[in-house]
Amino acid sequence: MVKSIEIKKISIREKLVVDVNVLMKDPRDYDFSPRASMEGSTINLFNEGEEASSASIELDSEQMQVAERDRALDLRVKFAVEGMHGILTHKTKNVMTGPNSKKLAEPRWKTILPISM
């Protein structure tokens, strides 16, 4: 279940790009089916079946033209779980400085989302 959706940034590349932070209630919950709708010049993002966890933002005229032209947007999601992504209590040394350093996985997701008008 999605606890909250927060729109961080909207930009234009080839399509309308929307960056969002999604806070989930449980780390074992994979129920996230985003939907986008447009009413006037406002884009609403919500999880399918849930109206309570929605986010909306007002678009300017250039962003409106791109959204109406494509009727889709690129959604870039950064996931977090309440209570899991806080302050570390046991910090290790910086392992990214060695010759065999590796980047840790980040909970990110990217998709093309149709806009219902």
Side-chain angles (χ1 to χ4, degrees), residues 50-63:
E50 296 179 31
E51 290 294 327
S53 61
S54 64
S56 61
I57 193 164
E58 191 79 20
L59 301 178
D60 63 17
S61 62
E62 186 180 0
Q63 292 169 343

Side-chain angles (χ1 to χ4, degrees), residues 5-17:
I5 300 173
E6 177 188 3
I7 298 175
K8 297 299 282 182
K9 179 175 80 165
I10 291 186
S11 60
I12 297 174
R13 296 211 174 132
E14 292 178 9
K15 292 186 179 181
L16 190 66
V17 179

